[in-house]
Amino acid sequence: MYSAVPAPQRRDFISVTLSPGEAAGAGGYNNSKAWRRRSCWRKWKQLSRLQRSVILFLFAFLAVCGVISYTNMGEQWKSLTNKSSEDLKPEPEIPGLKPANPAVLPAPQKADANLGDYKELSPQKHPKPVHVRRGPPNLQIRPPRREARLQTQDDAGRAKEEPHPADKEEKTEKSVISWRGAVIEPDQSTEPPSSKIKEPEKPSSLEGEDQKEPVPINERQMAVIEAFRHAWKGYKEFAWGHDELKPLSKSYSEWFGLGLTLIDALDTMWILGLKEEFEEARKWVATDLLFDKNVDVNLFESTIRILGGLLSTYHLSGDSLFLEKAKDIGNRLMPAFNTPSKIPYSDVNIGRGTAHPPRWTSDSTVAEVTSIQLEFRELSRLTRDEKFKKAVDEVMKHVHALSGKNDGLVPMFINTNSGQFTHLGVYTLGARADSYYEYLLKQWIQGGKQENELLEDYMRAIEGVKKHLLQRSQPKKLTFVGEFAHGHFSAKMDHLVCFLPGTLALGAHNGLTAHHMELAKALIETCYQMYAQVETGLSPEIVHFNLHAQKGRKDVEIKPADRHNLLRPETVESLFYLYRFTGDKKYQDWGWEILQNFNKYTRVSTGGYTSINNVQNPSNPEPRDKMESFFLGETLKYMFLLFSDDVDLINLDKYVFNTEAHPLPIWAPA
Ligand code: DMJ
């Protein structure tokens, strides 16, 4: 039976009930099209006007919804298909080299790109959205004074390319490190929670940081900026483009004639945010820095200061000018490796392409030949030319296999003909050996902790230090690193050795034993005392520790020939690492004391700072009239970083400092 729904009592809703009988209608079931059309039309006519309007409205509404959802699905589908085709793109290969992690490193510029093409800090073109970097164009600092407040966006164009998606993968590599069968548990306790080790995903200056609020600089950092500006004023006025400032005689000295101070200071200016100074220096590099010179340079010194300085400035600024210059000097240094043993000569004539050992010997210094690796390896990665890396890796392999070590401790000299250690039996962590140990660890870190031989040599050497060189002084029981010569211990310690606490702390931060951190803490206390126990509050070049308590004598003794101070960085460098990894403010306070004493005894009123001859005479410290390039390259840079509470200001999980304080990127594991 079919009946139309009776007229509703209430006219604000409709109900349509259809039953098979009703649907069949009086005339019985007829499924013809005409019948169906007529029947529907009849039913439609039977509906009230309101019912018809509501039905029509519903249809219209459904139709609109349908159109909208169709359009959205189309967009989503489009983006999905695009994304998957991007993800499938193969990663370009670097022939002969393990691919570096573009998440950590900027995409290398083509070696021949923009050679000599000076663009005055003009933004480069970027294929991807721009990320603002730290440094002059993007200061993460807020100086209180107007002139120190630098813009944040204008030079954003120097940012690097996006990393390859494959390198964004979470790496959970940090677990245990096996060393000679021993399992070394990573030391969790030595890491600050905010900088737990994980594989870096991007250069510290890229994404993520951009979203972060800039960390304001504090008063102590401002004091470092002021000190830098004062030093720079002297250099600019009296030594511009020369190697070192002589602040008292208002002149300069030349070593290689390559603007050493200016190059060493480039990345410091970037980090301190000194845009104007940086721009001026960059102009000099672009127009006046020419390596085609008939001049002998020391391979090690020019590698760590010039090559290292150019590479780090390239990484921080993204400016290909610095890479081109780095490539140029790198190539010109290569003749040093043309020796019978492949242990490089100490000196190279960068204009003539010839190399030679010092006049009086065919030996090279062990620290020198083993502390050029970070720079040449990085140059290979950037230029995709293996020869640099091959040459320096060969040196490390050779030294690794060499006999004549004493529990991992190396002699100070190596012969370029025979490839053997010479002057056996003398072991120090000071001059001529120091950075061998530093670079064992740092190369291992640079290479993504894959090169086990480096780690082995490092761990064994630290055991050697503990066994042969570690002692405690009287009366304060300071732990110090002495020297060992032909079976005899000497309580002599160079200020240079003060790099060691920082290196030990860095190793502990990277998962090595917690004992290294304990030793680092003990040693940095000693290095601080090398300043604190001296009349000017500045350390001499060398100290001798008292092994036996004697009334009225301090721990630290200074010989007349050793009481000079060259504005060296090592203690401040270690204070920086210790503060980064422990957060203990006393390290900042110690650094602050040291800065004040530099200001008190080494600052020259007309501009610049000077080395002094006598740290024991506050009334006349006997200025030497020389500002070493590392004062700007290292000492002030580490001061600035030490006073910063921003772990991303040169993040130590992304960068490794060369021995001249030039940060180079850490590669991701293959
Ligand atoms: C710097 O050139 C380097 O730090 C080097 O490793 C040691 N000497 C000076 C600083 O003291």
Side-chain angles (χ1 to χ4, degrees):
M1 181 181 133
Y2 170 80
S3 69
V5 176
Q9 303 295 311
R10 294 175 56 181
R11 299 178 66 86
D12 56 351
F13 69 94
I14 57 166
S15 165
V16 179
T17 310
L18 296 171
S19 69
E22 287 164 345
Y29 179 68
N30 176 351
N31 201 28
S32 75
K33 266 190 192 166
W35 181 88
R36 278 200 309 257
R37 227 179 283 134
R38 247 180 287 122
S39 165
C40 282
W41 180 243
R42 214 176 299 134
K43 288 211 185 306
W44 177 254
K45 285 296 221 176
Q46 286 167 353
L47 294 175
S48 71
R49 195 177 303 152
L50 173 67
Q51 286 171 324
R52 278 188 250 157
S53 318
V54 171
I55 289 170
L56 283 174
F57 172 77
L58 280 175
F59 272 120
F61 179 73
L62 287 173
V64 170
C65 289
V67 169
I68 290 171
S69 63
Y70 176 78
T71 328
N72 283 348
M73 273 175 68
E75 285 301 315
Q76 277 175 19
W77 177 250
K78 239 191 269 171
S79 70
L80 253 175
T81 45
N82 285 351
K83 193 171 174 241
S84 51
S85 64
E86 260 168 38
D87 289 348
L88 287 171
K89 272 185 206 157
E91 191 172 8
E93 267 181 31
I94 302 173
L97 279 178
K98 283 176 185 172
N101 179 12
V104 185
L105 307 163
Q109 311 260 339
K110 275 211 168 136
D112 57 349
N114 298 327
L115 184 55
D117 175 17
Y118 169 55
K119 289 184 215 125
E120 198 170 316
L121 286 180
S122 59
Q124 295 172 347
K125 281 185 185 157
H126 295 274
K128 300 265 176 168
V130 156
H131 300 283
V132 183
R133 295 172 184 219
R134 184 178 304 286
N138 175 27
L139 269 189
Q140 305 283 317
I141 55 181
R142 287 196 194 122
R145 284 178 301 141
R146 198 190 162 275
E147 72 269 21
R149 188 190 294 271
L150 305 177
Q151 62 204 80
T152 56
Q153 299 287 339
D154 61 339
D155 288 306
R158 288 173 189 279
K160 298 156 189 166
E161 285 177 17
E162 280 280 308
H164 190 280
D167 296 300
K168 289 182 178 172
E169 278 171 24
E170 271 287 314
K171 302 279 197 305
T172 50
E173 189 222 8
K174 181 180 174 289
S175 51
V176 289
I177 294 148
S178 160
W179 174 63
R180 288 265 140 178
V183 173
I184 303 162
E185 288 292 342
D187 174 19
Q188 303 295 343
S189 62
T190 58
E191 297 176 25
S194 56
S195 60
K196 240 183 143 213
I197 298 174
K198 63 173 183 273
E199 278 313 313
E201 293 182 346
K202 290 182 180 186
S204 63
S205 50
L206 296 186
E207 232 174 54
E209 266 179 75
D210 300 350
Q211 274 98 60
K212 275 178 26 181
E213 265 293 291
V215 177
I217 58 166
N218 54 49
E219 274 184 27
R220 287 178 176 182
Q221 285 179 292
M222 284 304 294
V224 179
I225 290 178
E226 194 280 325
F228 184 96
R229 282 199 160 128
H230 182 78
W232 194 247
K233 175 181 180 284
Y235 178 74
K236 201 177 151 183
E237 273 181 50
F238 311 122
W240 185 253
H242 297 285
D243 283 343
E244 290 132 351
L245 167 69
K246 294 179 77 172
L248 291 171
S249 50
K250 299 183 180 159
S251 64
Y252 57 83
S253 54
E254 272 331 3
W255 188 6
F256 309 142
L258 295 172
L260 215 50
T261 295
L262 188 147
I263 301 175
D264 230 358
L266 282 167
D267 57 4
T268 306
M269 290 185 269
W270 185 274
I271 291 166
L272 267 57
L274 301 175
K275 183 178 181 186
E276 249 174 55
E277 290 85 345
F278 181 84
E279 278 188 52
E280 238 180 314
R282 186 207 181 271
K283 269 186 200 166
W284 183 87
V285 171
T287 55
D288 295 308
L289 179 60
L290 300 171
F291 295 125
D292 190 10
K293 269 188 167 180
N294 180 8
V295 61
D296 274 3
V297 302
N298 175 282
L299 170 69
F300 164 74
E301 297 291 358
S302 51
T303 298
I304 63 168
R305 300 185 199 212
I306 299 176
L307 180 56
L310 291 168
L311 286 173
S312 70
T313 307
Y314 164 67
H315 277 296
L316 295 177
S317 69
D319 186 338
S320 60
L321 165 72
F322 300 107
L323 177 58
E324 291 312 316
K325 292 289 178 189
K327 203 181 136 197
D328 190 8
I329 186 71
N331 274 310
R332 289 171 186 279
L333 292 173
M334 287 305 283
F337 296 91
N338 295 335
T339 69
S341 64
K342 300 282 183 272
I343 297 297
Y345 290 129
S346 58
D347 297 279
V348 193
N349 187 304
I350 53 172
R352 289 197 186 144
T354 54
H356 58 88
R359 234 171 274 140
W360 59 91
T361 175
S362 55
D363 288 352
S364 284
T365 298
V366 170
E368 293 194 355
V369 301
T370 56
S371 311
I372 49 180
Q373 279 67 14
L374 292 177
E375 300 80 0
F376 277 95
R377 282 154 50 112
E378 178 58 13
L379 187 59
S380 263
R381 199 194 63 77
L382 290 171
T383 59
R384 305 176 182 204
D385 185 345
E386 262 192 289
K387 71 176 178 221
F388 307 110
K389 181 176 189 291
K390 225 176 140 213
V392 293
D393 279 353
E394 207 163 316
V395 176
M396 291 315 294
K397 282 207 177 77
H398 180 92
V399 172
H400 172 75
L402 216 51
S403 59
K405 291 180 204 146
N406 187 4
D407 290 315
L409 302 176
V410 290
M412 295 186 288
F413 296 98
I414 187 165
N415 191 273
T416 50
N417 294 321
S418 68
Q420 299 299 308
F421 288 129
T422 64
H423 303 79
L424 301 181
V426 182
Y427 303 98
T428 174
L429 265 276
R432 300 184 188 281
D434 47 0
S435 43
Y436 160 73
Y437 304 100
E438 180 187 349
Y439 268 37
L440 286 174
L441 179 77
K442 288 184 172 178
Q443 285 176 81
W444 177 70
I445 292 172
Q446 178 192 44
K449 306 182 195 172
Q450 313 246 308
E451 296 149 294
N452 290 335
E453 286 186 353
L454 294 166
L455 179 61
E456 271 181 29
D457 288 351
Y458 176 74
M459 295 299 285
R460 198 178 297 118
I462 300 305
E463 289 308 303
V465 169
K466 286 199 227 164
K467 188 169 164 190
H468 300 289
L469 305 183
L470 226 50
Q471 275 284 3
R472 291 183 131 201
S473 67
Q474 295 294 345
K476 285 198 170 212
K477 302 198 180 350
L478 302 173
T479 303
F480 71 94
V481 179
E483 295 184 355
F484 193 75
H486 310 296
H488 295 287
F489 178 79
S490 157
K492 164 180 178 272
M493 181 165 151
D494 293 353
H495 181 271
L496 287 170
V497 181
C498 289
F499 80 92
L500 187 61
T503 298
L504 287 167
L506 181 65
H509 175 76
N510 277 279
L512 306 186
T513 170
H515 295 139
H516 285 195
M517 183 55 94
E518 292 318 306
L519 183 54
K521 287 179 185 169
L523 287 173
I524 192 60
E525 167 81 39
T526 306
C527 290
Y528 168 64
Q529 290 298 329
M530 285 165 65
Y531 287 70
Q533 293 197 9
V534 180
E535 288 79 348
T536 55
L538 291 175
S539 170
E541 180 72 357
I542 299 168
V543 299
H544 287 78
F545 286 94
N546 281 316
L547 292 174
H548 308 288
Q550 274 174 295
K551 216 176 163 210
R553 288 177 74 179
K554 297 179 191 165
D555 300 71
V556 167
E557 296 272 322
I558 305 167
K559 303 210 161 152
D562 304 332
R563 55 191 186 196
H564 49 288
N565 179 299
L566 304 183
L567 313 170
R568 286 198 191 275
E570 290 77 16
T571 295
V572 182
E573 169 186 350
S574 285
L575 287 171
F576 157 63
Y577 283 106
L578 266 291
Y579 179 67
R580 261 296 162 93
F581 298 140
T582 66
D584 188 337
K585 298 261 180 214
K586 80 176 175 205
Y587 298 125
Q588 287 185 323
D589 295 340
W590 292 353
W592 182 238
E593 274 177 39
I594 293 172
L595 178 63
Q596 284 171 308
N597 290 325
F598 275 135
N599 275 328
K600 202 164 169 191
Y601 296 108
T602 72
R603 186 171 161 120
V604 178
S605 62
T606 45
Y609 288 74
T610 178
S611 305
I612 53 174
N613 265 331
N614 191 352
V615 293
Q616 291 182 296
N617 189 351
S619 56
N620 181 16
E622 298 167 32
R624 272 193 168 193
D625 194 19
K626 182 159 170 176
M627 184 173 78
E628 300 279 349
S629 78
F630 50 68
F631 184 62
L632 300 191
E634 297 194 67
T635 312
L636 290 182
K637 183 189 290 153
Y638 282 131
M639 285 274 187
F640 188 79
L641 293 171
L642 163 65
F643 298 143
S644 167
D645 285 315
D646 181 3
V647 292
D648 285 321
L649 185 55
I650 311 298
N651 187 314
L652 291 173
D653 294 331
K654 296 176 179 176
Y655 290 97
V656 61
F657 284 94
N658 85 341
T659 192
E660 190 75 6
H662 298 304
L664 298 173
I666 293 171
W667 311 340

PDB file of all heavy atoms in Angstrom, residues 300-301 304-305 434-435 438 496 568-570 573 630 634 659-661, ligand 1:
ATOM      1  N   PHE A 300     103.110  24.476   8.801  1.00  0.00           N
ATOM      2  CA  PHE A 300     102.169  24.365   9.918  1.00  0.00           C
ATOM      3  C   PHE A 300     101.505  25.707  10.236  1.00  0.00           C
ATOM      4  O   PHE A 300     100.276  25.805  10.297  1.00  0.00           O
ATOM      5  CB  PHE A 300     102.925  23.826  11.141  1.00  0.00           C
ATOM      6  CG  PHE A 300     102.220  24.015  12.452  1.00  0.00           C
ATOM      7  CD1 PHE A 300     101.121  23.240  12.783  1.00  0.00           C
ATOM      8  CD2 PHE A 300     102.661  24.967  13.372  1.00  0.00           C
ATOM      9  CE1 PHE A 300     100.471  23.411  14.011  1.00  0.00           C
ATOM     10  CE2 PHE A 300     102.031  25.139  14.594  1.00  0.00           C
ATOM     11  CZ  PHE A 300     100.933  24.359  14.914  1.00  0.00           C
ATOM     12  N   GLU A 301     102.325  26.732  10.397  1.00  0.00           N
ATOM     13  CA  GLU A 301     101.767  28.029  10.796  1.00  0.00           C
ATOM     14  C   GLU A 301     100.828  28.589   9.736  1.00  0.00           C
ATOM     15  O   GLU A 301      99.788  29.160  10.049  1.00  0.00           O
ATOM     16  CB  GLU A 301     102.897  29.033  11.080  1.00  0.00           C
ATOM     17  CG  GLU A 301     103.809  28.653  12.238  1.00  0.00           C
ATOM     18  CD  GLU A 301     103.129  28.718  13.606  1.00  0.00           C
ATOM     19  OE1 GLU A 301     101.957  29.103  13.680  1.00  0.00           O
ATOM     20  OE2 GLU A 301     103.802  28.362  14.603  1.00  0.00           O
ATOM     21  N   ILE A 304      97.506  26.408   9.817  1.00  0.00           N
ATOM     22  CA  ILE A 304      96.532  26.603  10.902  1.00  0.00           C
ATOM     23  C   ILE A 304      95.967  28.021  10.921  1.00  0.00           C
ATOM     24  O   ILE A 304      94.817  28.231  11.267  1.00  0.00           O
ATOM     25  CB  ILE A 304      97.108  26.218  12.287  1.00  0.00           C
ATOM     26  CG1 ILE A 304      98.301  27.112  12.670  1.00  0.00           C
ATOM     27  CG2 ILE A 304      97.523  24.751  12.311  1.00  0.00           C
ATOM     28  CD1 ILE A 304      98.712  26.979  14.138  1.00  0.00           C
ATOM     29  N   ARG A 305      96.802  28.990  10.524  1.00  0.00           N
ATOM     30  CA  ARG A 305      96.327  30.383  10.608  1.00  0.00           C
ATOM     31  C   ARG A 305      95.646  30.820   9.311  1.00  0.00           C
ATOM     32  O   ARG A 305      94.551  31.386   9.341  1.00  0.00           O
ATOM     33  CB  ARG A 305      97.499  31.323  10.916  1.00  0.00           C
ATOM     34  CG  ARG A 305      98.175  30.994  12.233  1.00  0.00           C
ATOM     35  CD  ARG A 305      99.249  31.994  12.602  1.00  0.00           C
ATOM     36  NE  ARG A 305     100.158  31.436  13.600  1.00  0.00           N
ATOM     37  CZ  ARG A 305     100.775  32.127  14.530  1.00  0.00           C
ATOM     38  NH1 ARG A 305     100.595  33.421  14.615  1.00  0.00           N
ATOM     39  NH2 ARG A 305     101.594  31.548  15.389  1.00  0.00           N
ATOM     40  N   ASP A 434     102.577  19.253  21.337  1.00  0.00           N
ATOM     41  CA  ASP A 434     101.245  19.547  21.871  1.00  0.00           C
ATOM     42  C   ASP A 434     100.070  19.197  20.955  1.00  0.00           C
ATOM     43  O   ASP A 434      99.214  18.365  21.277  1.00  0.00           O
ATOM     44  CB  ASP A 434     101.151  21.024  22.294  1.00  0.00           C
ATOM     45  CG  ASP A 434     101.689  22.018  21.241  1.00  0.00           C
ATOM     46  OD1 ASP A 434     102.137  21.576  20.170  1.00  0.00           O
ATOM     47  OD2 ASP A 434     101.630  23.236  21.501  1.00  0.00           O
ATOM     48  N   SER A 435     100.044  19.802  19.788  1.00  0.00           N
ATOM     49  CA  SER A 435      98.827  19.660  18.984  1.00  0.00           C
ATOM     50  C   SER A 435      98.724  18.305  18.265  1.00  0.00           C
ATOM     51  O   SER A 435      97.686  18.006  17.678  1.00  0.00           O
ATOM     52  CB  SER A 435      98.685  20.820  17.994  1.00  0.00           C
ATOM     53  OG  SER A 435      99.907  21.103  17.386  1.00  0.00           O
ATOM     54  N   GLU A 438      96.142  16.889  20.386  1.00  0.00           N
ATOM     55  CA  GLU A 438      94.882  17.619  20.144  1.00  0.00           C
ATOM     56  C   GLU A 438      94.229  17.156  18.834  1.00  0.00           C
ATOM     57  O   GLU A 438      93.019  16.914  18.775  1.00  0.00           O
ATOM     58  CB  GLU A 438      95.214  19.122  20.070  1.00  0.00           C
ATOM     59  CG  GLU A 438      94.046  20.033  19.824  1.00  0.00           C
ATOM     60  CD  GLU A 438      94.494  21.487  19.584  1.00  0.00           C
ATOM     61  OE1 GLU A 438      95.682  21.817  19.804  1.00  0.00           O
ATOM     62  OE2 GLU A 438      93.642  22.287  19.159  1.00  0.00           O
ATOM     63  N   LEU A 496     101.630  26.325  26.945  1.00  0.00           N
ATOM     64  CA  LEU A 496     101.022  25.642  25.797  1.00  0.00           C
ATOM     65  C   LEU A 496     100.242  24.396  26.209  1.00  0.00           C
ATOM     66  O   LEU A 496      99.258  24.023  25.567  1.00  0.00           O
ATOM     67  CB  LEU A 496     102.110  25.242  24.786  1.00  0.00           C
ATOM     68  CG  LEU A 496     102.738  26.368  23.953  1.00  0.00           C
ATOM     69  CD1 LEU A 496     103.959  25.848  23.198  1.00  0.00           C
ATOM     70  CD2 LEU A 496     101.713  26.929  22.959  1.00  0.00           C
ATOM     71  N   ARG A 568      98.992  34.428  24.926  1.00  0.00           N
ATOM     72  CA  ARG A 568      98.562  33.117  24.414  1.00  0.00           C
ATOM     73  C   ARG A 568      97.146  32.753  24.864  1.00  0.00           C
ATOM     74  O   ARG A 568      96.676  33.200  25.917  1.00  0.00           O
ATOM     75  CB  ARG A 568      99.536  32.034  24.893  1.00  0.00           C
ATOM     76  CG  ARG A 568     100.871  32.027  24.180  1.00  0.00           C
ATOM     77  CD  ARG A 568     101.562  30.679  24.400  1.00  0.00           C
ATOM     78  NE  ARG A 568     102.939  30.676  23.969  1.00  0.00           N
ATOM     79  CZ  ARG A 568     103.339  30.447  22.719  1.00  0.00           C
ATOM     80  NH1 ARG A 568     102.449  30.213  21.779  1.00  0.00           N
ATOM     81  NH2 ARG A 568     104.620  30.430  22.424  1.00  0.00           N
ATOM     82  N   PRO A 569      96.521  31.852  24.087  1.00  0.00           N
ATOM     83  CA  PRO A 569      95.108  31.543  24.335  1.00  0.00           C
ATOM     84  C   PRO A 569      94.820  30.299  25.184  1.00  0.00           C
ATOM     85  O   PRO A 569      93.688  30.109  25.618  1.00  0.00           O
ATOM     86  CB  PRO A 569      94.606  31.264  22.920  1.00  0.00           C
ATOM     87  CG  PRO A 569      95.784  30.644  22.229  1.00  0.00           C
ATOM     88  CD  PRO A 569      96.996  31.312  22.820  1.00  0.00           C
ATOM     89  N   GLU A 570      95.801  29.403  25.385  1.00  0.00           N
ATOM     90  CA  GLU A 570      95.443  28.029  25.786  1.00  0.00           C
ATOM     91  C   GLU A 570      94.566  27.931  27.039  1.00  0.00           C
ATOM     92  O   GLU A 570      93.622  27.128  27.083  1.00  0.00           O
ATOM     93  CB  GLU A 570      96.714  27.176  25.964  1.00  0.00           C
ATOM     94  CG  GLU A 570      97.434  26.843  24.658  1.00  0.00           C
ATOM     95  CD  GLU A 570      98.250  28.003  24.090  1.00  0.00           C
ATOM     96  OE1 GLU A 570      98.507  28.968  24.844  1.00  0.00           O
ATOM     97  OE2 GLU A 570      98.627  27.965  22.904  1.00  0.00           O
ATOM     98  N   GLU A 573      91.106  29.113  26.257  1.00  0.00           N
ATOM     99  CA  GLU A 573      90.502  28.084  25.396  1.00  0.00           C
ATOM    100  C   GLU A 573      89.911  26.957  26.261  1.00  0.00           C
ATOM    101  O   GLU A 573      88.752  26.571  26.102  1.00  0.00           O
ATOM    102  CB  GLU A 573      91.611  27.546  24.479  1.00  0.00           C
ATOM    103  CG  GLU A 573      91.284  26.295  23.689  1.00  0.00           C
ATOM    104  CD  GLU A 573      92.531  25.774  22.937  1.00  0.00           C
ATOM    105  OE1 GLU A 573      93.561  26.482  22.887  1.00  0.00           O
ATOM    106  OE2 GLU A 573      92.459  24.662  22.397  1.00  0.00           O
ATOM    107  N   PHE A 630      97.568  35.418  17.051  1.00  0.00           N
ATOM    108  CA  PHE A 630      96.621  34.552  17.761  1.00  0.00           C
ATOM    109  C   PHE A 630      95.888  35.268  18.895  1.00  0.00           C
ATOM    110  O   PHE A 630      94.930  34.729  19.442  1.00  0.00           O
ATOM    111  CB  PHE A 630      97.285  33.257  18.249  1.00  0.00           C
ATOM    112  CG  PHE A 630      98.574  33.425  19.015  1.00  0.00           C
ATOM    113  CD1 PHE A 630      98.614  34.006  20.271  1.00  0.00           C
ATOM    114  CD2 PHE A 630      99.768  32.957  18.473  1.00  0.00           C
ATOM    115  CE1 PHE A 630      99.802  34.128  20.982  1.00  0.00           C
ATOM    116  CE2 PHE A 630     100.973  33.078  19.166  1.00  0.00           C
ATOM    117  CZ  PHE A 630     100.988  33.667  20.422  1.00  0.00           C
ATOM    118  N   GLU A 634      92.594  33.794  18.433  1.00  0.00           N
ATOM    119  CA  GLU A 634      92.229  32.799  19.445  1.00  0.00           C
ATOM    120  C   GLU A 634      91.801  33.405  20.782  1.00  0.00           C
ATOM    121  O   GLU A 634      90.679  33.187  21.249  1.00  0.00           O
ATOM    122  CB  GLU A 634      93.421  31.870  19.720  1.00  0.00           C
ATOM    123  CG  GLU A 634      93.873  31.045  18.538  1.00  0.00           C
ATOM    124  CD  GLU A 634      94.798  29.940  18.978  1.00  0.00           C
ATOM    125  OE1 GLU A 634      94.335  29.027  19.677  1.00  0.00           O
ATOM    126  OE2 GLU A 634      95.990  29.980  18.627  1.00  0.00           O
ATOM    127  N   THR A 659      93.631  24.139  15.738  1.00  0.00           N
ATOM    128  CA  THR A 659      94.492  24.547  16.858  1.00  0.00           C
ATOM    129  C   THR A 659      94.724  26.058  16.895  1.00  0.00           C
ATOM    130  O   THR A 659      95.356  26.568  17.809  1.00  0.00           O
ATOM    131  CB  THR A 659      95.825  23.762  16.827  1.00  0.00           C
ATOM    132  OG1 THR A 659      96.509  23.965  18.057  1.00  0.00           O
ATOM    133  CG2 THR A 659      96.691  24.187  15.649  1.00  0.00           C
ATOM    134  N   GLU A 660      94.208  26.760  15.911  1.00  0.00           N
ATOM    135  CA  GLU A 660      94.289  28.222  15.909  1.00  0.00           C
ATOM    136  C   GLU A 660      92.890  28.818  16.137  1.00  0.00           C
ATOM    137  O   GLU A 660      92.614  29.956  15.763  1.00  0.00           O
ATOM    138  CB  GLU A 660      94.894  28.688  14.566  1.00  0.00           C
ATOM    139  CG  GLU A 660      95.259  30.154  14.476  1.00  0.00           C
ATOM    140  CD  GLU A 660      96.525  30.586  15.226  1.00  0.00           C
ATOM    141  OE1 GLU A 660      97.216  29.710  15.756  1.00  0.00           O
ATOM    142  OE2 GLU A 660      96.795  31.792  15.287  1.00  0.00           O
ATOM    143  N   ALA A 661      92.010  28.025  16.714  1.00  0.00           N
ATOM    144  CA  ALA A 661      90.651  28.485  17.076  1.00  0.00           C
ATOM    145  C   ALA A 661      89.763  28.804  15.884  1.00  0.00           C
ATOM    146  O   ALA A 661      88.841  29.612  15.987  1.00  0.00           O
ATOM    147  CB  ALA A 661      90.705  29.683  18.016  1.00  0.00           C
TER     148      ALA A 661
HETATM  149  C1  DMJ B   1      98.867  29.054  18.170  1.00  0.00           C
HETATM  150  O1  DMJ B   1      99.448  29.364  16.974  1.00  0.00           O
HETATM  151  C2  DMJ B   1      98.277  27.675  18.162  1.00  0.00           C
HETATM  152  O2  DMJ B   1      97.384  27.550  19.210  1.00  0.00           O
HETATM  153  C3  DMJ B   1      99.314  26.613  18.261  1.00  0.00           C
HETATM  154  O3  DMJ B   1      98.774  25.342  18.332  1.00  0.00           O
HETATM  155  C4  DMJ B   1     100.168  26.842  19.470  1.00  0.00           C
HETATM  156  N1  DMJ B   1     100.685  28.148  19.532  1.00  0.00           N
HETATM  157  C5  DMJ B   1      99.847  29.269  19.261  1.00  0.00           C
HETATM  158  C6  DMJ B   1      99.166  29.881  20.442  1.00  0.00           C
HETATM  159  O4  DMJ B   1      99.826  29.851  21.609  1.00  0.00           O
END
